[in-house]
Amino acid sequence: MELSIDPDARLSVPGQTANVSASSPLLKQTNAGGFKKVCRIEEESTCPFPGLPAGVLEMRVKEGSKIRNLMGFAMARMQNDARDAGQTGLRQVVFTGSGRAVTKTITCAEIMKRKLGGLHQITKLQYKGLREVWESQEGGDSEVTVHRTLPSISILLSKDPLDPLEPGYQPPENSLWEERNGGEASQTAEKRSVDSSESLTEPRAKRVCL
C-alpha cells in the first residue's frame, strides 16, 4: 500500500519526533512503498454544541457508511415510528463526520431537512487529530507514525427553535420561503382587496348617475 502524506504532516520514528516537509528523504522513502498501515486512531473532539439535552441522537458518519442505512435509522428515531416501544420521536439529531466523510455528512442532513421540513440547523466546523502507524513490509523494526489534522463538521438539526444569534444558524426552509415571498404575497393580497372593493363600489356609482 502506498502512503500519501500531507505537506504539513508530522512523522514520528522510534525515539524521535520531527516536523518534515514534502521534500524530506524520509517522506520520499515512505511514499515509494514497502509500508503497510497497521493502526489508525482519530482523536475524540469535544461536542461543539454545549448544553444539549440528554438522549440527543448522534449519527457518526464514516467514509464507508451507507446513506440508506444512516437515514433509515435516523428517520425512524426522529419520526414517530418508535411508538411500538411506547416512545415518541426525538426532537434533535447531530450528524458528525470528518475527512472524506464531510460531504456525506452534509448529504444526510439535507435529506432529513427535505423529508421532515421545519428543522432548525446549526453547523460547526473544526479540526481533529489523526494518528496512523505504518510498518515496513521488508522486515525489521522500521515503523513510521504519521500525525495529521482532518477537517470535521457537526450539524445539529432540531424540531424546536434554536438561538438565531448562534454562529452557523440556519432557519427552516419554509421560513426562508416566507421571508422571501411574504412581501410579494402581502402586496398581492392588498391589491386583490383594493380591486374587489372597487368592483363593489362601481355599480353603485353607475346607478346613482342614471
Side-chain angles (χ1 to χ4, degrees):
M1 179 183 295
E2 185 176 345
L3 175 61
S4 60
I5 304 178
D6 295 338
D8 296 331
R10 183 164 54 89
L11 295 183
S12 302
V13 295
Q16 61 180 354
T17 300
N19 293 322
V20 295
S21 63
S23 59
S24 171
L26 181 58
L27 274 180
K28 293 181 179 179
Q29 179 184 358
T30 308
N31 288 331
F35 283 80
K36 64 177 181 179
K37 182 168 58 177
V38 297
C39 182
R40 184 179 188 273
I41 302 176
E42 291 187 11
E43 297 178 358
E44 292 292 336
S45 56
T46 59
C47 179
F49 309 109
L52 285 179
V56 174
L57 178 62
E58 182 178 358
M59 301 295 298
R60 297 187 178 182
V61 183
K62 302 296 184 181
E63 181 181 352
S65 301
K66 301 295 184 181
I67 294 181
R68 180 184 304 176
N69 298 337
L70 292 170
M71 297 310 302
F73 180 81
M75 292 297 299
R77 296 295 302 274
M78 288 292 286
Q79 293 174 332
N80 294 329
D81 296 343
R83 52 176 172 263
D84 295 337
Q87 301 176 358
T88 59
L90 298 177
R91 307 293 300 175
Q92 294 178 331
V93 59
V94 177
F95 288 95
T96 60
S98 59
R100 295 181 180 179
V102 168
T103 302
K104 188 173 294 185
T105 304
I106 298 174
T107 301
C108 291
E110 293 298 324
I111 292 175
M112 176 165 287
K113 287 166 60 179
R114 291 193 189 100
K115 289 189 175 182
L116 292 184
L119 294 178
H120 299 261
Q121 175 180 342
I122 293 180
T123 304
K124 296 293 185 180
L125 300 175
Q126 54 187 356
Y127 288 90
K128 63 188 307 183
L130 171 66
R131 182 168 62 90
E132 294 178 344
V133 179
W134 297 74
E135 289 183 352
S136 174
Q137 294 179 325
E138 300 176 355
D141 297 331
S142 299
E143 181 179 286
V144 176
T145 301
V146 182
H147 300 267
R148 294 190 296 162
T149 54
L150 297 177
S152 176
I153 188 171
S154 298
I155 303 176
L156 170 63
L157 298 178
S158 175
K159 297 179 182 178
D160 302 321
L162 299 173
D163 184 5
L165 300 180
E166 180 71 21
Y169 172 79
Q170 296 182 24
E173 292 184 356
N174 25 348
S175 296
L176 289 174
W177 184 89
E178 290 174 1
E179 290 178 3
R180 293 174 181 175
N181 301 282
E184 297 178 1
S186 60
Q187 291 178 3
T188 304
E190 291 178 359
K191 184 177 180 181
R192 289 179 179 177
S193 62
V194 171
D195 293 342
S196 60
S197 61
E198 290 178 355
S199 62
L200 291 176
T201 56
E202 285 178 359
R204 295 182 180 179
K206 290 180 180 180
R207 290 193 187 103
V208 172
C209 293
L210 292 174

